[in-house]
Amino acid sequence: MTIPASWFLVLAALLFGIGAFGVLTRRSALIMFMCIELMLNAVNLTFVTFARTMSDIGGQTSVFFIMVVAAAEVTVGLGIVVAVFRRRASTSVDDLSELQG
């Protein structure tokens, strides 16, 4: 018994929607990073679903590169958040907008 591809696509759409809602409503930089990662994983699920449906490895290759870029983004982003938290004692995005100069 195999699960239809539409179920995976609906799950990916729900995950992407939850991530987008979190980015738009939350003010904490850490939570925004987690929501962005949730959105990237939803896109990865879509790529893997289409790769499985079409019996092509291209989607899985794209997922590999997306995961590498996401890991680099998290590393740089968390470094910036930690540096700002040491300086301001807050991870609020509203506080970060004051640093524009």
Side-chain angles (χ1 to χ4, degrees):
M1 184 169 121
T2 180
I3 300 172
S6 61
W7 287 27
F8 290 112
L9 296 176
V10 168
L11 176 63
L14 286 172
L15 288 173
F16 192 87
I18 291 170
F21 179 76
V23 166
L24 294 174
T25 59
R26 297 297 181 164
R27 303 301 342 152
S28 173
L30 293 175
I31 293 177
M32 289 177 79
F33 275 128
M34 288 192 311
C35 291
I36 290 170
E37 289 297 320
L38 190 63
M39 291 167 59
L40 286 173
N41 285 328
V43 171
N44 286 342
L45 180 60
T46 303
F47 279 151
V48 169
T49 301
F50 284 128
R52 189 187 86 169
T53 302
M54 296 179 192
S55 298
D56 185 26
I57 194 124
Q60 295 169 349
T61 306
S62 299
V63 166
F64 176 73
F65 286 114
I66 289 172
M67 291 178 75
V68 168
V69 170
E73 174 248 339
V74 165
T75 303
V76 172
L78 285 178
I80 291 170
V81 167
V82 167
V84 169
F85 183 74
R86 286 182 181 170
R87 201 90 180 146
R88 296 257 183 185
S90 172
T91 60
S92 176
V93 179
D94 296 330
D95 293 342
L96 295 178
S97 65
E98 295 173 2
L99 297 175
Q100 289 179 345

